[in-house]
Amino acid sequence: MSSPVVARVSFKEQMLLAREEAIVKAVSRLLAEKGFEAMTVDEVAAEVGIAKASLYKHFPSKEDLAAAAMVRVMRRAQDFLLSLPAGDAPLDKLRAAARWTMELQLAGEMPSLPGRGSSLRATLMSCQPYLDGLLQVREQFGGWIEAAQASGALNPRLPAVAVLYTLYARACDPVLEFLKAGGRHSDAEIVELVLSTCFDGLNAR
Amino acid sequence: MSSPVVARVSFKEQMLLAREEAIVKAVSRLLAEKGFEAMTVDEVAAEVGIAKASLYKHFPSKEDLAAAAMVRVMRRAQDFLLSLPAGDAPLDKLRAAARWTMELQLAGEMPSLPGRGSSLRATLMSCQPYLDGLLQVREQFGGWIEAAQASGALNPRLPAVAVLYTLYARACDPVLEFLKAGGRHSDAEIVELVLSTCFDGLNAR
DNA sequence: GTCTATATTCGGATAGAC
DNA sequence: GTCTATCCGAATATAGAC
């Protein structure tokens, strides 16, 4: 058993981390809903229910706040990829990954990537945890794509990088939002529809 | 022949329209590069080479400025669709339209649509010229999609609206930017690559 | 570490001379 | 209609008490 002092420190640290988790979760939601530029720090503070100044004790700037949200979703993606059964075919893993990102987007938890000119870009490009996660996901995907192409499941004439980006882009595909706004399809139907157009194409087979 | 007075008025009007065209063109470029929120009116003024106050003589607000750019690109789209040979198969027209939007994006002239929370959305939703253009394009596309499905060229099991949105979304597909940043493909190759994945899918055929 | 209150910067919009 | 100069609100960030 740990001493009371150690226990209290650990408890405080847990509180701290829980608070930060709540902050980052709120940021993720707002980032998904409005994008980085339109999101304000005041909104974040209001959603979490703490004062704005307190936010700045945890994160030094709005950019760092958003970067933390991007790191969080990247971590969740890595965890998901690692949780996929090793026995599944590479193509199935790719489909599952694309499905996961789309479900996250429909749930309003997928922060949208910054546009080319955004100040968030610079912060993200010098954020090692984010870059590490991105790299690992790329390598994971890369292996599956090559295997799926070698087995004849994926079109081998497509450059692997094009396949990678195409799957990656499902995370911010506006078609999901459009179809949801139409109101004629359930979330599950939307996901399967977009998955189908992505892997099978628009043309008849 | 017109009288000198009429001629001078016409000339001045031409100058006015040319100036406004230059403004809207600059807005389109900046809107494509940075998005609505990150674009500043000062930048627009600097790019056009006039004072900011002069901009506000032509357009009452930043939102109206951006809306004008959206209307312009919608007009160009309508003109392009009408210019397609009547003899072409519906599927070919759809492919040509998707190719056109992607070439425009690669040229940096495709203003990116506003996110859900943007103040531009409201302005756009009450901008009749834009809505009219959108409606006409939808109807044009809708007819071609139905015809292509009836002829067995397009997958008839997909809802027409899903096909519509999927093609529409090519205008802001981040895959184009990613592949361009990779530097391993020409613009023409990128367009054909994305067209292929869109119509034929990622799976082998 | 959290709060209230404030400093500061930035950007949309306007006044008024020409 | 274009300019210079300015206003003013909004949003990022900080000071300082508790």
Side-chain angles (χ1 to χ4, degrees):
Chain A
M1 283 302 197
S2 45
S3 79
V5 171
V6 171
R8 205 175 65 219
V9 167
S10 168
F11 176 74
K12 281 167 93 171
E13 280 173 355
Q14 271 192 334
M15 289 289 92
L16 186 77
L17 288 181
R19 170 64 54 93
E20 293 198 344
E21 170 71 8
I23 294 172
V24 175
K25 210 169 159 183
V27 171
S28 280
R29 214 192 55 73
L30 286 167
L31 228 39
E33 182 185 325
K34 336 181 48 162
F36 177 72
E37 324 284 344
M39 176 188 81
T40 72
V41 178
D42 295 81
E43 284 172 330
V44 178
E47 175 135 341
V48 180
I50 64 176
K52 182 166 50 169
S54 303
L55 280 184
Y56 281 95
K57 299 286 184 181
H58 293 272
F59 302 92
S61 74
K62 183 186 177 186
E63 281 75 17
D64 290 271
L65 209 53
M70 300 302 292
V71 168
R72 176 171 174 267
V73 75
M74 191 62 73
R75 289 237 155 85
R76 291 177 69 184
Q78 291 176 264
D79 290 346
F80 175 80
L81 296 185
L82 289 175
S83 80
L84 289 174
D88 285 4
L91 183 64
D92 290 330
K93 290 183 180 173
L94 293 173
R95 287 183 69 100
R99 180 181 285 114
W100 181 82
T101 61
M102 292 196 285
E103 285 168 348
L104 214 63
Q105 196 201 331
L106 283 171
E109 295 172 23
M110 178 64 84
S112 49
L113 340 167
R116 282 181 280 288
S118 176
S119 63
L120 180 53
R121 271 283 177 94
T123 302
L124 230 39
M125 289 300 103
S126 52
C127 174
Q128 207 54 46
Y130 179 75
L131 295 176
D132 286 347
L134 201 57
L135 185 64
Q136 192 189 321
V137 168
R138 279 178 77 112
E139 285 176 355
Q140 188 86 263
F141 266 67
W144 294 339
I145 290 170
E146 279 185 38
Q149 286 184 317
S151 77
L154 274 188
N155 182 354
R157 300 181 55 187
L158 293 172
V161 68
V163 178
L164 175 71
Y165 292 155
T166 300
L167 292 173
Y168 191 58
R170 282 331 98 209
C172 54
D173 192 340
V175 172
L176 300 179
E177 178 197 341
F178 293 159
L179 286 174
K180 197 177 175 77
R184 280 202 281 273
H185 303 274
S186 71
D187 283 10
E189 286 170 342
I190 292 172
V191 168
E192 296 310 314
L193 218 43
V194 177
L195 261 186
S196 164
T197 62
C198 180
F199 283 92
D200 297 328
L202 296 175
N203 287 342
R205 290 213 167 224
Chain B
M1 285 301 198
S2 47
S3 79
V5 171
V6 171
R8 205 174 66 220
V9 168
S10 166
F11 177 74
K12 281 167 93 171
E13 279 173 357
Q14 270 191 335
M15 290 290 90
L16 185 78
L17 288 182
R19 169 64 54 92
E20 292 198 344
E21 170 71 10
I23 294 171
V24 175
K25 210 169 160 183
V27 171
S28 281
R29 213 191 57 72
L30 287 168
L31 227 40
E33 183 185 324
K34 332 179 54 160
F36 176 72
E37 323 284 345
M39 177 187 80
T40 70
V41 179
D42 295 82
E43 285 172 331
V44 177
E47 174 135 342
V48 180
I50 65 176
K52 182 165 53 167
S54 302
L55 280 184
Y56 280 95
K57 298 288 183 181
H58 293 272
F59 302 92
S61 74
K62 183 187 176 186
E63 281 76 16
D64 290 273
L65 209 53
M70 300 303 290
V71 168
R72 176 171 174 266
V73 75
M74 192 60 74
R75 290 238 155 84
R76 290 176 71 183
Q78 291 177 266
D79 290 347
F80 175 79
L81 296 185
L82 289 175
S83 81
L84 289 174
D88 285 5
L91 183 65
D92 290 331
K93 290 183 181 174
L94 293 173
R95 286 182 72 99
R99 181 182 284 114
W100 181 82
T101 60
M102 293 195 285
E103 285 167 348
L104 213 64
Q105 196 202 332
L106 283 170
E109 296 172 23
M110 178 64 84
S112 49
L113 334 172
R116 283 183 279 287
S118 175
S119 63
L120 180 53
R121 271 282 176 96
T123 303
L124 230 38
M125 289 302 102
S126 52
C127 174
Q128 207 53 46
Y130 178 76
L131 295 176
D132 286 347
L134 201 57
L135 186 64
Q136 191 187 322
V137 168
R138 280 179 76 111
E139 286 176 355
Q140 188 87 263
F141 266 67
W144 295 339
I145 290 170
E146 278 186 37
Q149 287 185 318
S151 78
L154 273 189
N155 182 353
R157 299 181 56 187
L158 294 172
V161 68
V163 178
L164 175 71
Y165 292 154
T166 301
L167 293 173
Y168 191 57
R170 282 330 98 207
C172 54
D173 192 340
V175 173
L176 300 179
E177 177 197 342
F178 293 158
L179 286 174
K180 197 178 175 79
R184 279 202 283 272
H185 303 274
S186 70
D187 283 8
E189 286 170 342
I190 291 172
V191 169
E192 296 311 313
L193 218 42
V194 177
L195 261 186
S196 166
T197 63
C198 179
F199 283 91
D200 298 327
L202 297 175
N203 286 343
R205 290 212 168 225

